[in-house]
Amino acid sequence: MLTPLGRLDKYAASENIFNRQMVARSLLDTLKEVSDDEKDCIAVLERVSRLSEDSEPTVRAELMEQVPHLAMFCQENRPSIPHAFSKYLLPIIVRYLADQNNQVRKTSQAALLVLLEQELIERTDVESKVCPVLIDLTSPDSNDDVKTEAVAIMCKMASMVGRDITERLILPRFCEMCCDCRMFHVRKVCAANFGDICSVVGQDATEKMLLPRFFQLCSDNVWGVRKACAECFMAVSCTTSQELRRTKLSALFINLISDPSRWVRQAAFQSLGPFISTFANPSNSGQYFKEEECKSSKDDQQSENDERTAKEVLAEDASSVEEEDDVPLIDKLCTDSDVNFTVKLESSLEDVAGESSKDSSQQVDFLSCCTLPLQSTADSSKPEQISNESNAHEVLELASPESPVTEQELYNSFHFWRTPIPEIDIDLELKRTQAESRSTESSQTVQKASSPGSPNITMATRKELEEMIENLEPHIDDPDVKAQVDVLTAALKASKLGTQEDPKSSHLNREILYRNDRIETGKINCKIACEDSGPLISDSVECMQSTLRYIHDDSDLSTSGSFSPEDEKKSKVQDVVPQALLDQYLSMTDPSRAQTVDTEIAKHCAYSIPGVALTLGRQNWHCLRDTYETLAADMQWKVRRTLAFSIHELASILGDSLTAADLLPIFNGFLKDLDEVRIGVLKHLYDFLKLLPPDKRREYLYQLQEFLVTDNCRNWRFRAELAEQLIFLLELYSARDIYDYLLPIALNLCGDKVSSVRWISYKLVSEMVKKLYLAPTQTLVLDLMNKLVEQFCRSSKWSGRQTFVFICQALIEDDCLPMDQFALHLMPHLLHLASDRVPNVRVLLAKTLKQTLLEKEYFLTSANSHQEAVEQTIMALQMDYDSDVKYFASIHPASTKLADDAVSTASSTY
């Protein structure tokens, strides 16, 4: 007999905890009961405030769960109870953010985010009541758990409160929390949400305030913080300018990829593809990350064009080597992958005739190690001894384990430790003659001839070598880096041995001789002449970048052998992505990466390859071709499945010619793969085939039948997907091809054991009839209708005859045929089924006639013989002995629909 308020007061004052919990749960119902009286509503909200001070955590948590519902009710009834939420409910939420009980805090945090998402909190309240409390909770003297949770709430609410509030109130404290020296949990939360904050505040605030903090977090002592930075790297990159992205973020990302922690490297490699995609030129890809970038896209494009022009000039200078020779150098190098690299150092004898041969040979060792640290394959691992030529000739022959060096490798600044690239002067005829004469005297050892006048290495040079080794040591876990450190260490030792000699100035001529063992005509030699007038090392940073560039360029040697000279020139112009990033991405297919980084690293590479291809553009597809082929042949079916699902996207990026040349063989392989891989191809079969020329597209008509065969016959979804794709493929082929190749598959699917496959197949057959009817000749559509009658209407199985009724129903509903044509060719056979001995067939026929056929204007307005036949058939069905047949033949056509029928006879499976 108590009023709602009286009942609320009674149980709220109870000593029983469960009674007070029940009060919290019933607050919304109580508020609805008294919603007509404003005073009673205010009284309920006041009791909510008192209940929020309950000492039992479970009561407080239960109350907080109801606060969002109460807030929504107050918002809906705002005219009667204005400012109710701001005055009574919001203070409770804010107070509970610092509650001692973890459950209460979590509930209040969730409630706050829900209310912000629903925009139920006024902006003035956010600024005056919410943000000050969160900032206070993140103060240095705050509880550790509370501080961590408060930082997480600030980061999550940034996107909800907008840029203005975030920059004025949240951003300063967020920057402070990124430098929290005592709590790595706080730094980890900041790193995990760094991308969200950057996307809210925009490019200017990101570059001025956030990027310095991000650099600190990426070098944090705790690997979990660095891992969080790697995971959000793409989001941070999207909010920076192209210049910063290229100059600073790329180098920072290389550090994360070479991190000592495996978990950091794993996260970095997973983010590598997405990060590379942020280098896409918006004018080419049509993708803008931010409005600021959209506005400045023209400026970025202009700067990129300037840089591209400079590199094109460089490429033209380098390519002049091939233009001077009748036989292209790359064509000869590509004939065999077993190539020996010969480095020949010459020095003049003008003033240096009396130097010691021992010291000179030590200098040669050092220079050789520093300038060309190339390795050799197993087939050519034994170096040949080469006889001394004239007075000052020293020959050091090193064999490479890889395929022929690319032009980019040949002219890499690391090889010479100086810029700009030296001029190239080649006398191929002379060098070929010398090579032939030396080839007869070659043996299995290297003879190092002395060279008087080899320069000593200064103290400054040794110091810079030590700095470079020190810079490489953090990346020592990488086998490639370790090899470089060993080479530089040996070079440093060699330099120390020769410091006692005082060399005179000399002129060094360096020759790089590439010899292919299987070229009978002789050796091909390239001569690179440069003066030793400048310092060998410009600065440690440049050397670091050059070393990393060389390390990762080495992985491309095996693939460069298949390139034509034109492709070699194109590789010189690739300036879309920093080369170190691209090389790291290409190395993700290396089997050693699966052991040292992540067993599924190849899958991550496959997942992001369309984005990387879009970024590089089709003109740089040769950079990814070998990687894509390696992924397509990967032993893990998950990798191949990933490629199969995205091959249509890659085809649209590459265009017709590249798709036909490079993707079609891989596509054909996927068609014969496991069902898990084939489903990826099948789901986008239309999207891929429409990109092919008609002659190539027609070749796949013969293979469509193979999709009916699956590894598991219960895999009915595979056949359902095939039926859906065939509907789209109808527009790609002629009427004759549809009749000859696609129709047999459709008729097969119409008899499938699974009803879902059959339903799609009925739609497929109806679309075929529509397509063939629109053909120039009517012969094919008449033959198709005769096939339907012979195969289904006159089938000995009741399921086949039921299929014929379903197909006729689909033809009528979709208007695939004019009604006069349908009445002439199919309706007589359809009406004949009224005497079928199976009730299921007659039930479906009654539904089709009453609910579909009679709704057509052709049978409503014009009196004809066909209409009379339909009415006679319906009257016969109304007299049927089966009650279901009577029911569906007697009801009004518009009174019920097939989808609403209680009787499921028509859609039964068999």
Side-chain angles (χ1 to χ4, degrees):
M1 300 300 293
L2 295 175
T3 62
L5 285 177
R7 187 169 58 251
L8 186 65
D9 291 335
K10 175 181 178 181
Y11 290 104
S14 174
E15 295 181 359
N16 192 325
I17 297 175
F18 298 104
N19 288 339
R20 301 200 300 275
Q21 286 182 340
M22 188 61 64
V23 169
R25 291 174 188 161
S26 62
L27 283 173
L28 181 60
D29 296 333
T30 303
L31 195 59
K32 289 180 179 179
E33 291 180 14
V34 300
S35 59
D36 296 335
D37 191 340
E38 180 180 349
K39 293 183 178 181
D40 290 344
C41 290
I42 298 299
V44 172
L45 294 175
E46 290 175 350
R47 286 162 177 77
V48 170
S49 300
R50 289 200 297 267
L51 189 63
S52 66
E53 299 174 358
D54 196 287
S55 60
E56 179 58 37
T58 56
V59 177
R60 300 198 302 272
E62 190 68 44
L63 173 63
M64 187 49 57
E65 289 182 1
Q66 301 300 320
V67 166
H69 304 289
L70 297 175
M72 293 178 186
F73 179 82
C74 293
Q75 181 69 19
E76 294 172 359
N77 297 271
R78 191 185 184 97
S80 59
I81 43 176
H83 310 294
F85 172 75
S86 176
K87 183 177 181 180
Y88 297 101
L89 298 180
L90 185 57
I92 300 175
I93 299 174
V94 172
R95 188 170 73 250
Y96 279 5
L97 291 175
D99 196 275
Q100 295 180 354
N101 185 268
N102 182 57
Q103 182 182 2
V104 176
R105 290 200 310 273
K106 296 293 185 184
T107 310
S108 65
Q109 294 164 13
L112 177 61
L113 294 178
V114 169
L115 295 173
L116 286 171
E117 185 178 4
Q118 298 294 329
E119 298 182 353
L120 296 178
I121 306 180
E122 299 289 342
R123 293 184 63 85
T124 55
D125 291 336
V126 173
E127 295 186 33
S128 61
K129 297 182 179 180
V130 178
C131 289
V133 172
L134 291 175
I135 293 174
D136 185 62
L137 292 178
T138 56
S139 60
D141 57 346
S142 179
N143 180 273
D144 293 343
D145 294 337
V146 174
K147 181 191 296 185
T148 305
E149 295 169 359
V151 172
I153 290 295
M154 290 171 59
C155 296
K156 292 177 180 178
M157 66 182 288
S159 60
M160 303 176 189
V161 300
R163 179 173 182 173
D164 179 56
I165 295 179
T166 302
E167 286 187 348
R168 288 191 292 106
L169 302 178
I170 297 179
L171 185 58
R173 182 50 59 94
F174 178 81
C175 294
E176 293 178 12
M177 293 297 99
C178 291
C179 304
D180 192 307
C181 301
R182 191 172 61 88
M183 286 285 296
F184 83 90
H185 296 286
V186 175
R187 302 196 304 275
K188 185 176 180 181
V189 172
C190 292
N193 296 276
F194 211 95
D196 297 334
I197 297 294
C198 291
S199 62
V200 173
V201 300
Q203 179 176 328
D204 292 338
T206 297
E207 295 179 355
K208 293 179 181 178
M209 300 184 64
L210 291 176
L211 271 189
R213 305 295 187 273
F214 189 66
F215 274 73
Q216 294 176 5
L217 292 175
C218 287
S219 59
D220 197 275
N221 294 330
V222 179
W223 66 265
V225 178
R226 303 194 302 273
K227 178 176 179 291
C229 291
E231 292 172 346
C232 71
F233 213 95
M234 176 188 177
V236 176
S237 177
C238 290
T239 56
T240 60
S241 64
Q242 188 72 263
E243 181 183 359
L244 279 176
R245 196 177 297 147
R246 180 177 296 273
T247 57
K248 294 186 178 181
L249 290 184
S250 58
L252 182 63
F253 196 85
I254 291 294
N255 292 337
L256 292 176
I257 282 183
S258 306
D259 196 272
S261 172
R262 176 171 181 169
W263 305 113
V264 179
R265 297 198 305 271
Q266 179 176 328
F269 272 108
Q270 291 182 18
S271 301
L272 177 56
F275 176 51
I276 290 177
S277 67
T278 62
F279 287 87
N281 188 353
S283 61
N284 295 333
S285 64
Q287 296 180 353
Y288 295 89
F289 303 114
K290 284 292 177 184
E291 294 180 359
E292 298 90 347
E293 186 169 339
C294 178
K295 295 177 182 178
S296 59
S297 60
K298 295 184 178 180
D299 298 337
D300 295 341
Q301 183 178 3
Q302 181 63 32
S303 62
E304 290 181 4
N305 291 338
D306 296 341
E307 183 179 357
R308 186 180 297 108
T309 302
K311 293 200 173 185
E312 287 174 355
V313 174
L314 177 62
E316 292 174 0
D317 294 341
S319 62
S320 62
V321 178
E322 298 173 3
E323 297 174 356
E324 294 180 4
D325 191 10
D326 296 333
V327 181
L329 175 63
I330 301 301
D331 290 347
K332 294 186 178 181
L333 294 179
C334 292
T335 57
D336 195 339
S337 61
D338 303 329
V339 178
N340 293 333
F341 299 97
T342 304
V343 180
K344 185 172 182 180
L345 303 179
E346 296 181 349
S347 59
S348 61
L349 297 178
E350 297 175 355
D351 300 318
V352 291
E355 289 295 316
S356 170
S357 62
K358 178 179 178 180
D359 293 335
S360 300
S361 63
Q362 292 174 353
Q363 304 302 325
V364 172
D365 292 342
F366 165 70
L367 290 174
S368 302
C369 293
C370 292
T371 55
L372 275 178
L374 301 177
Q375 299 173 348
S376 130
T377 51
D379 292 341
S380 56
S381 59
K382 297 180 180 180
E384 295 188 12
Q385 180 180 4
I386 302 176
S387 61
N388 295 336
E389 296 187 8
S390 57
N391 306 11
H393 288 227
E394 295 176 340
V395 179
L396 173 63
E397 190 166 318
L398 299 175
S400 170
E402 307 288 346
S403 311
V405 179
T406 63
E407 289 186 0
Q408 183 175 0
E409 181 72 23
L410 179 59
Y411 305 115
N412 195 305
S413 62
F414 174 80
H415 296 165
F416 310 103
W417 287 359
R418 59 177 295 158
T419 54
I421 294 176
E423 296 180 356
I424 300 173
D425 185 14
I426 293 180
D427 189 354
L428 290 176
E429 292 297 331
L430 176 61
K431 295 306 175 184
R432 185 179 291 109
T433 304
Q434 294 176 354
E436 290 175 355
S437 64
R438 288 196 302 270
S439 61
T440 58
E441 302 175 3
S442 61
S443 62
Q444 300 299 320
T445 60
V446 176
Q447 179 178 359
K448 301 179 180 179
S450 62
S451 175
S454 298
N456 288 333
I457 306 300
T458 64
M459 294 296 293
T461 302
R462 289 200 304 275
K463 183 177 180 180
E464 292 177 346
L465 278 175
E466 293 173 354
E467 291 179 355
M468 188 165 63
I469 294 175
E470 183 179 352
N471 290 334
L472 285 174
E473 286 180 353
H475 315 283
I476 198 68
D477 56 332
D478 191 327
D480 296 334
V481 178
K482 185 176 185 302
Q484 296 306 309
V485 172
D486 295 340
V487 170
L488 296 177
T489 303
L492 184 61
K493 292 180 180 179
S495 67
K496 292 180 179 179
L497 293 176
T499 54
Q500 298 177 356
E501 295 295 331
D502 184 17
K504 300 180 179 180
S505 60
S506 64
H507 181 75
L508 292 181
N509 294 323
R510 299 171 183 167
E511 293 185 274
I512 299 181
L513 305 178
Y514 293 85
R515 181 180 56 81
N516 192 328
D517 291 339
R518 299 185 185 180
I519 299 179
E520 298 179 357
T521 59
K523 301 179 181 179
I524 300 175
N525 306 280
C526 299
K527 179 179 180 181
I528 299 179
C530 63
E531 293 185 0
D532 194 19
S533 57
L536 289 177
I537 302 176
S538 60
D539 60 283
S540 59
V541 175
E542 181 181 355
C543 292
M544 177 65 178
Q545 295 174 348
S546 301
T547 304
L548 290 177
R549 190 182 305 112
Y550 167 74
I551 291 170
H552 303 299
D553 282 346
D554 187 60
S555 63
D556 289 339
L557 292 179
S558 61
T559 64
S560 64
S562 61
F563 288 172
S564 64
E566 289 78 13
D567 293 331
E568 287 291 318
K569 295 177 183 177
K570 289 182 180 178
S571 66
K572 302 284 290 183
V573 188
Q574 196 285 115
D575 62 343
V576 180
V577 178
Q579 191 61 37
L581 289 178
L582 183 59
D583 292 339
Q584 287 286 1
Y585 179 80
L586 298 180
S587 72
M588 292 175 72
T589 57
D590 190 343
S592 63
R593 295 292 191 191
Q595 300 176 358
T596 59
V597 179
D598 185 6
T599 56
E600 293 191 350
I601 189 172
K603 181 181 177 182
H604 298 302
C605 180
Y607 181 81
S608 56
I609 202 166
V612 177
L614 178 63
T615 302
L616 294 179
R618 65 182 64 176
Q619 71 275 11
N620 293 314
W621 164 243
H622 61 276
C623 300
L624 297 175
R625 182 190 296 110
D626 294 331
T627 299
Y628 192 79
E629 293 175 355
T630 302
L631 292 171
D634 197 279
M635 294 296 294
Q636 301 181 66
W637 63 266
K638 292 182 179 180
V639 177
R640 304 195 303 275
R641 173 185 169 93
T642 304
L643 293 180
F645 271 94
S646 63
I647 191 171
H648 68 287
E649 297 287 356
L650 194 59
S652 64
I653 295 171
L654 298 183
D656 299 343
S657 58
L658 290 176
T659 297
D662 298 330
L663 296 188
L664 273 185
I666 296 175
F667 182 81
N668 295 334
F670 288 159
L671 292 178
K672 303 175 183 178
D673 213 313
L674 301 175
D675 283 353
E676 290 80 1
V677 179
R678 294 169 69 203
I679 188 63
V681 174
L682 181 59
K683 275 186 174 293
H684 303 285
L685 187 62
Y686 165 77
D687 297 324
F688 184 83
L689 292 183
K690 73 178 181 181
L691 300 173
L692 301 181
D695 55 336
K696 293 287 185 181
R697 184 190 307 154
R698 197 171 184 277
E699 295 176 1
Y700 289 93
L701 284 171
Y702 309 94
Q703 303 183 39
L704 293 177
Q705 193 81 21
E706 299 176 2
F707 282 110
L708 292 173
V709 181
T710 57
D711 299 336
N712 184 0
C713 62
R714 295 182 179 181
N715 189 6
W716 62 268
R717 290 181 178 85
F718 198 90
R719 301 189 297 275
E721 187 63 43
L722 173 61
E724 290 183 355
Q725 286 297 312
L726 289 179
I727 295 176
F728 297 116
L729 290 177
L730 295 179
E731 69 178 63
L732 300 181
Y733 295 103
S734 64
R736 171 55 64 180
D737 288 338
I738 292 174
Y739 183 84
D740 292 339
Y741 299 101
L742 302 187
L743 180 59
I745 302 176
L747 297 180
N748 188 316
L749 293 174
C750 285
D752 199 90
K753 295 181 179 181
V754 180
S755 62
S756 297
V757 179
R758 295 197 304 271
W759 280 108
I760 303 173
S761 303
Y762 303 151
K763 172 72 173 176
L764 171 61
V765 172
S766 66
E767 291 295 330
M768 285 184 174
V769 173
K770 185 176 182 179
K771 174 86 177 197
L772 297 183
Y773 179 76
L774 297 176
T777 60
Q778 301 295 315
T779 307
L780 295 178
V781 69
L782 294 177
D783 292 343
L784 171 55
M785 289 188 286
N786 291 334
K787 275 193 174 185
L788 295 178
V789 173
E790 290 295 331
Q791 184 167 342
F792 297 113
C793 184
R794 298 174 183 174
S795 174
S796 59
K797 295 182 178 180
W798 72 270
S799 58
R801 300 191 297 275
Q802 188 188 56
T803 297
F804 181 77
V805 182
F806 274 124
I807 293 175
C808 290
Q809 185 185 56
L811 290 172
I812 299 171
E813 289 178 345
D814 298 338
D815 294 325
C816 298
L817 277 176
M819 280 297 101
D820 57 341
Q821 295 295 319
F822 177 84
L824 179 63
H825 298 289
L826 293 177
M827 197 172 71
H829 305 285
L830 179 66
L831 299 180
H832 179 72
L833 294 177
S835 59
D836 196 278
R837 63 181 181 273
V838 178
N840 288 29
V841 179
R842 301 197 304 274
V843 167
L844 180 59
L845 176 61
K847 290 180 178 181
T848 301
L849 295 179
K850 292 289 289 184
Q851 301 174 11
T852 305
L853 189 66
L854 289 182
E855 289 187 346
K856 295 298 178 180
E857 186 178 357
Y858 179 80
F859 294 97
L860 295 176
T861 58
S862 61
N864 50 56
S865 59
H866 300 299
Q867 184 179 11
E868 183 178 352
V870 173
E871 291 176 354
Q872 291 179 359
T873 303
I874 291 177
M875 291 179 61
L877 292 174
Q878 290 174 352
M879 304 296 294
D880 197 277
Y881 64 87
D882 188 275
S883 59
D884 292 330
V885 178
K886 284 183 181 181
Y887 171 76
F888 287 107
S890 302
I891 61 176
H892 189 273
S895 62
T896 182
K897 290 297 180 183
L898 185 62
D900 301 329
D901 291 339
V903 182
S904 60
T905 311
S907 60
S908 60
T909 58
Y910 50 88

